[in-house]
Amino acid sequence: IGLLTIILLTFTIISFGQTDQQLKKASDLFKQGSEFYKSDQYDKAIQSYTEYLKIRPNVPNGWYNRGLAYYFKGIDPAKNTTESSKRNLNLAIADFS
């Protein structure tokens, strides 16, 4: 049983591991999202963070930052109807959760 556990653990690590190239792309996407966020380009920030989360779904900073982008997009009265504002704020809450 001990050998089987080691084999399964090794398979799990290998199958869920990420290559250096994937990690580099994720890092670039996160930085890009942050730059868009800083310049109030929330749609582009959300898009970058979403792509980041496809690579690094278990990293809380990606969810938090995308949640912030949804939040600030949701409270901008110039860019929202009441319905779209509610949708963005609900998306923010989901990401924070």
Side-chain angles (χ1 to χ4, degrees):
I1 293 180
L3 181 59
L4 179 60
T5 303
I6 292 171
I7 292 170
L8 289 174
L9 182 59
T10 302
F11 175 75
T12 301
I13 291 170
I14 291 170
S15 66
F16 291 107
Q18 294 162 326
T19 66
D20 289 341
Q21 184 179 8
Q22 288 171 313
L23 294 174
K24 170 78 168 99
K25 181 178 178 183
S27 177
D28 291 345
L29 286 164
F30 191 88
K31 289 175 189 174
Q32 183 181 50
S34 297
E35 290 303 314
F36 285 135
Y37 175 82
K38 289 176 190 174
S39 61
D40 299 335
Q41 297 180 57
Y42 301 120
D43 286 327
K44 290 181 179 182
I46 291 165
Q47 184 178 13
S48 292
Y49 290 131
T50 299
E51 290 303 310
Y52 169 83
L53 288 166
K54 289 178 183 178
I55 301 169
R56 306 291 314 266
N58 297 322
V59 179
N61 288 346
W63 296 101
Y64 179 77
N65 284 16
R66 189 175 74 172
L68 285 176
Y70 275 125
Y71 173 78
F72 284 105
K73 179 182 175 186
I75 64 170
D76 186 346
K79 297 182 181 179
N80 288 291
T81 63
T82 301
E83 197 58 38
S84 67
S85 178
K86 286 180 186 177
R87 183 175 46 81
N88 286 316
L89 293 175
N90 284 331
L91 290 167
I93 291 167
D95 280 358
F96 292 144
S97 297

